[in-house]
Amino acid sequence: MRRSGWRVAQMVLGLVVVGLALRQVLANWDAVRTTPFAWKVQPLLLVLSALMVWGMYALLIATWRLLVERWGGRLTLREAAAIWTVSSLGKYVPGKVWAIAGMAVLAKRVGVPPWIATGAAVLNQVLAIGAGVVVVALTGTTLLEARYPWLRSAMWILLGLVVVGLFVLSSASTVRRLLAAAGIDAGDTAGPPRSALVLAGLANVVAWLGYGLALWLMARGLTEVPLPLGLAIGAFTASYLIGFLALVAPAGLGVRESVFILMLDHAVGTPAAVALAVASRLLLTVTELGAAVPFLLSSRERARVAP
């Protein structure tokens, strides 16, 4: 009876998370519909944009799986995809730990030690932040520096913290001491080799570029406003990073859109910037749900990776 009750509770939690995401979709759709802006919808470009986002998801899933396996865990590609997509819905719950916590719980059910799944996820997030800082510095910093002269210094500080974090997490002895302090015996685990870290870092750079390209395709599929590709990459990356670092905002809600509008306002005008900010949020929410729902509905995955 306890097991049945636990499964029911998990399904209820999964439905709540999906409901929160769907509510956000509906709220954003209403904002898109009421924005005073001329739309010119080209479905093919919108489909290509969504496919690009899903392609970047696949790349990041493979990257996380690589780090898990190089750390000593074992996951099939299907298991990694199920865990990554389902746990990612945790970002719609206030707080920044639910996605990673969910990843640890779900990974444990397929035989991966939770600390390996969590460590790989944290390490990948650190790499993503570092790669994002580099991408923003190359594509989008100039537009923000005029209003915020301290931005470049802040980016250098953030990049320095990323380097320190990578040094700590890539040191086998340091990781073992940290785990021992948390009461976890990691044995002789050495952590992912530096070659895996380099590959994961490059994959995250490609992911940011791919997300920016998806935004550019979406802009061309919705409007006639000329959005430069470099600006699309910089705006998406900067807004996503700042939204991620805003700990109190679920999925960076509100924060991401504000940065997005700030970066695009000068180039495309306020109405277009607002429209694209909301449409981008809608696109990402739909693609995240589209990636996770098949696993949530699959009876086979429900038994192994419950919501």
Side-chain angles (χ1 to χ4, degrees):
M1 291 179 62
R2 286 198 302 267
R3 182 176 301 175
S4 298
W6 175 237
R7 288 180 178 175
V8 170
Q10 289 174 324
M11 292 184 66
V12 170
L13 178 59
L15 291 174
V16 169
V17 171
V18 172
L20 289 171
L22 285 174
R23 185 180 67 176
Q24 185 170 309
V25 170
L26 295 176
N28 282 330
W29 176 251
D30 187 61
V32 170
R33 185 175 56 82
T34 58
T35 298
F37 184 72
W39 301 93
K40 184 179 179 181
V41 178
Q42 300 184 57
L44 178 59
L45 291 177
L46 296 180
V47 171
L48 289 176
S49 178
L51 290 175
M52 176 61 67
V53 172
W54 279 322
M56 295 307 100
Y57 290 170
L59 176 62
L60 293 177
I61 290 168
T63 302
W64 175 67
R65 178 175 177 249
L66 170 68
L67 293 175
V68 167
E69 294 199 331
R70 295 296 177 88
W71 213 326
R74 289 291 179 269
L75 280 173
T76 66
L77 188 57
R78 181 180 177 83
E79 289 170 342
I83 293 169
W84 194 92
T85 55
V86 172
S87 63
S88 291
L89 295 180
K91 70 179 66 174
Y92 293 101
V93 180
K96 297 295 183 181
V97 300
W98 300 111
I100 292 179
M103 189 172 287
V105 171
L106 299 180
K108 183 179 180 180
R109 299 186 172 205
V110 292
V112 177
W115 61 268
I116 289 182
T118 303
V122 171
L123 189 54
N124 204 30
Q125 287 288 0
V126 172
L127 288 167
I129 293 172
V133 170
V134 172
V135 170
V136 173
L138 294 176
T139 58
T141 306
T142 304
L143 293 170
L144 290 175
E145 275 189 308
R147 299 186 185 185
Y148 303 103
W150 48 264
L151 181 63
R152 187 171 293 274
S153 298
M155 291 181 62
W156 279 111
I157 293 172
L158 183 58
L159 188 59
L161 293 174
V162 168
V163 171
V164 172
L166 287 175
F167 176 78
V168 170
L169 293 173
S170 63
S171 170
S173 59
T174 302
V175 169
R176 283 196 291 268
R177 283 196 293 269
L178 290 174
L179 291 172
I184 299 172
D185 182 12
D188 296 328
T189 299
R194 285 182 173 81
S195 59
L197 298 182
V198 172
L199 288 174
L202 292 175
N204 276 284
V205 170
V206 172
W208 289 124
L209 297 177
Y211 284 138
L213 178 58
L215 172 62
W216 181 79
L217 288 168
M218 185 200 71
R220 291 178 64 88
L222 288 176
T223 76
E224 293 182 334
V225 175
L227 176 64
L229 179 58
L231 178 57
I233 294 171
F236 181 92
T237 307
S239 61
Y240 200 101
L241 282 179
I242 296 174
F244 175 78
L245 295 173
L247 301 180
V248 297
L253 184 61
V255 179
R256 272 178 50 194
E257 287 75 15
S258 299
V259 176
F260 196 97
I261 293 168
L262 178 63
M263 293 190 68
L264 294 185
D265 179 71
H266 178 72
V268 301
T270 300
V274 172
L276 292 176
V278 177
S280 176
R281 168 70 69 172
L282 179 63
L283 171 68
L284 286 183
T285 305
V286 169
T287 53
E288 285 169 346
L289 288 174
V293 165
F295 294 110
L296 290 171
L297 296 179
S298 168
S299 58
R300 176 183 175 186
E301 289 300 335
R302 190 179 301 155
R304 301 186 64 186
V305 188

